[in-house]
Amino acid sequence: MKIVLCPPVSEALCEQVRRTAPGAEVVMAPMDEAPAVVGDADVIFGMYTEEIIRSAENVTWIQTTSAGMDMLMDIPGVREGRFKLSNASGLHALQVAEHALALTSALFRGLHVYIRSQLECEWKGAPIRDLYGATAGIVGFGGIGRRYARLASGFDMRILALDVQQPEIPDYVDALWGTDRLEELLSESDVVFIACPCTPQTERLIDANAFCLMKNSAFLVNTARGPIVDEAALIDALRSGEIAGAGLDVFETEPLPDTSPLWEMENVIITTHSAGASNYRPQRTVDFFCENLRRFMAGEPLLNETDRNLGYPTLGRRVE
């Protein structure tokens, strides 16, 4: 069996893979060099491009390090491929949820206003609200949405959530609804947190009508994918005061163009698609890969195996 790790990981993590699959040939390759070495590969771990997929004629399983599969599923040869495909859904939940809650807290406590005042050497106040008693509406209740809910519950927030797959409801969540109740969630929430996959069904899910339904005092936090939110409608809603502000880690176009009005908006906090960053990320992804590698060699079902029709793992396969 040949396993290709692309891009490369540390030597220590590569050795961990070798210990998991004794006797396997384990090769590390940069993305631009991977097509030359994947022709006889059985397994690929990391990321892939169209050229890698085209070259990997004998691959039987690909494990990605990405949770979001929107762009990866559209690469030719992936949807129709006969190889198993699994993603990193749930692996980055800890850091993404922490980042999302940091954005939420900063918006509620006016930290974005204070930081601007500090840069201008001005002593002035900002609108401040409590997380305590506020309602968090979570769109998508996979690993990230569930972790955010747990963190928010620590501030005694009321938690409402939506999910297409209807997982079991934790005791710290006040309500878990189907997606048919999106409008109700929007109208009741003080912060709307986007945590769902980007699929044809969720693209521009949060549009002008959604902003009309939200409270004028509500915030939007998005750490999922930019295209889930209609960015032009968001800008209009922020300008008009239809919503109070937004914490954004993802955008329709990345990097966010310097011409975007979002850069100058005082009621917006921008981070650079960095919510999933963590010094623990390489170890977590390799640990997960090694568990799935063990399952693969034993002929057992893989964790996070992606349903190609949905573009994400079904409830029974996904890691929370």
Side-chain angles (χ1 to χ4, degrees), residues 70-250:
D70 43 309
M71 292 182 289
L72 295 174
M73 292 301 298
D74 290 336
I75 291 176
V78 174
R79 287 192 185 274
E80 64 272 25
R82 296 183 179 181
F83 53 87
K84 294 179 182 293
L85 179 65
S86 52
N87 74 353
S89 179
L91 293 193
H92 315 316
L94 288 169
Q95 54 264 42
V96 176
E98 286 180 3
H99 193 100
L101 191 70
L103 290 172
T104 302
S105 181
L107 289 165
F108 270 75
R109 302 302 297 177
L111 297 189
H112 54 306
V113 178
Y114 285 117
I115 290 170
R116 287 177 182 268
S117 298
Q118 177 183 347
L119 294 174
E120 296 168 2
C121 301
E122 292 184 356
W123 184 278
K124 61 182 181 182
I128 293 178
R129 292 156 54 190
D130 293 343
L131 293 174
Y132 175 85
T135 298
I138 304 171
V139 181
F141 205 60
I144 293 169
R146 188 173 290 257
R147 175 65 62 167
Y148 178 90
R150 183 184 299 176
L151 295 174
S153 69
F155 291 87
D156 291 321
M157 297 184 78
R158 175 181 177 234
I159 312 296
L160 306 177
L162 298 180
D163 197 273
V164 69
Q165 298 196 69
Q166 287 295 284
E168 187 175 329
I169 181 170
D171 57 9
Y172 50 84
V173 172
D174 294 88
L176 178 57
W177 298 330
T179 53
D180 59 320
R181 298 181 69 175
L182 173 63
E183 293 188 354
E184 188 175 348
L185 178 137
L186 293 171
S187 65
E188 292 193 27
S189 298
D190 296 298
V191 56
V192 174
F193 173 46
I194 308 301
C196 59
C198 185
T199 67
Q201 291 71 39
T202 62
E203 191 168 336
R204 299 202 171 186
L205 178 69
I206 308 301
D207 56 9
N209 180 61
F211 294 121
C212 286
L213 292 168
M214 290 172 64
K215 299 176 183 178
N216 296 142
S217 58
F219 300 112
L220 177 78
V221 172
N222 187 10
T223 60
R225 287 291 186 269
I228 298 172
V229 177
D230 183 330
E231 205 163 280
L234 170 62
I235 291 169
D236 288 343
L238 290 164
R239 280 175 169 161
S240 67
E242 212 158 31
I243 64 171
L248 307 172
D249 187 56
V250 289

Side-chain angles (χ1 to χ4, degrees), residues 4 6 29-36 38-39 44 47-57 59 62 75:
V4 176
C6 61
M31 297 293 289
D32 59 343
E33 297 177 14
V38 298
I44 296 174
M47 297 297 288
Y48 55 80
T49 61
E50 181 177 350
E51 190 176 2
I52 290 172
I53 294 296
R54 189 166 55 246
S55 302
E57 297 178 351
V59 70
I62 297 178
I75 291 176

Side-chain angles (χ1 to χ4, degrees), residues 262-285:
L262 292 169
W263 286 113
E264 301 299 326
M265 290 186 167
E266 294 190 1
N267 56 349
V268 174
I269 301 174
I270 290 173
T271 57
T272 56
H273 203 142
S274 55
S278 169
N279 53 316
Y280 298 113
R281 181 169 177 149
Q283 185 67 64
R284 286 180 181 139
T285 53

